[in-house]
Amino acid sequence: SAVISQKPSRDICQRGTSLTIQCQVDSQVTMMFWYRQQPGQSLTLIATANQGSEATYESGFVIDKFPISRPNLTFSTLTVSNMSPEDSSIYLCSVRGGPTGETQYFGPGTRLLVL
Amino acid sequence: AQTVTQSQPEMSVQEAETVTLSCTYDTSENNYYLFWYKQPPSRQMILVIRQEAYKQQNATENRFSVNFQKAAKSFSLKISDSQLGDTAMYFCAFMKGMAGGATNKLIFGTGTLLAVQP
């Protein structure tokens, strides 16, 4: 399985500001995924990031609010822009691996609290 | 659209005993994968076990095993000899087979919070 790291592990931010979350993988991967987990909820996919192309966003998520960069095959960033308390969540980076690339592995998450 | 249902929001088990977590799903696909993930208080999502739909044999990983009933669209997780470290939120998840496209999404259930009591 891939080893995934995220920075920061947690942060407390003021509303109206932006936070960029970094995700680093120890191997080259085609796709990287960003998820949000709101308090007490399950995981929701925000977007899929392919290297060299625009990220694909899920319904309810837009690029202006969650811009994503994917400069190479081992790294991605997710920015949470113009934050409000409703953005308080855990944000998780994920990649696929396994025998046929069907298993998703997750980073440790970034716990964000917006005041 | 595929859905995953976990009908047990919370469960409790005594240490060393066995517990079964339920999961049902709805799909018209024939080729897919099923997963159980564990999320302890650290919030790290950890893969517990995976099952390919085309395999009749139930997957096992040490103390963890599944009861995969394809016709019934049921995928329960059995934890044997429960340990305190098994205390976590458990999520059941579904994904269409890769032949359907590399961008197939992983669809999660709402989770079951398992507490292992000493």
Side-chain angles (χ1 to χ4, degrees), chain A residues 60-114:
Chain A
F61 297 96
V62 295
I63 187 171
D64 290 346
K65 176 67 175 178
F66 297 101
I68 288 171
S69 78
R70 184 77 202 277
N72 58 53
L73 290 172
T74 63
F75 187 79
S76 178
T77 67
L78 169 75
T79 299
V80 186
S81 303
N82 188 25
M83 288 184 286
S84 67
E86 291 70 35
D87 293 319
S88 297
S89 296
I90 297 172
Y91 293 86
L92 299 107
C93 174
S94 176
V95 302
R96 286 208 180 139
T100 56
E102 77 294 335
T103 302
Q104 277 192 236
Y105 300 99
F106 290 84
T110 295
R111 188 172 299 196
L112 172 62
L113 176 63
V114 184

Side-chain angles (χ1 to χ4, degrees), chain A residues 31 33 35 37 40-43 45 48 50 58 90 92 96 99-109 111, chain B residues 33 35 37 39 41-47 50 52 89 91 95 98 101-106 108-111:
Chain A
M31 291 187 293
F33 304 85
Y35 286 82
Q37 187 179 26
Q41 302 296 314
S42 186
L43 279 73
L45 180 64
T48 303
N50 290 326
E58 296 298 307
I90 297 172
L92 299 107
R96 286 208 180 139
T100 56
E102 77 294 335
T103 302
Q104 277 192 236
Y105 300 99
F106 290 84
R111 188 172 299 196
Chain B
Y33 300 90
F35 307 88
Y37 285 89
Q39 189 177 41
S42 67
R43 312 307 286 177
Q44 171 81 57
M45 287 288 286
I46 302 166
L47 177 67
R50 60 188 283 275
E52 296 93 334
M89 181 73 85
F91 291 98
M95 187 166 68
M98 299 308 291
T103 56
N104 290 341
K105 291 192 297 184
L106 188 61
F108 287 92
T110 52

Side-chain angles (χ1 to χ4, degrees), chain B residues 2-61:
Chain B
Q2 289 78 24
T3 59
V4 178
T5 302
Q6 294 179 249
S7 58
Q8 305 152 314
E10 297 183 21
M11 292 192 72
S12 181
V13 63
Q14 292 296 123
E15 197 175 4
E17 293 189 347
T18 295
V19 64
T20 298
L21 309 183
S22 301
C23 173
T24 59
Y25 58 94
D26 187 24
T27 185
S28 58
E29 301 289 330
N30 191 50
N31 181 28
Y32 52 87
Y33 300 90
L34 295 162
F35 307 88
W36 279 98
Y37 285 89
K38 165 185 175 181
Q39 189 177 41
S42 67
R43 312 307 286 177
Q44 171 81 57
M45 287 288 286
I46 302 166
L47 177 67
V48 175
I49 199 164
R50 60 188 283 275
Q51 174 82 42
E52 296 93 334
Y54 63 86
K55 288 188 178 179
Q56 293 185 333
Q57 185 174 6
N58 289 324
T60 63
E61 287 287 343

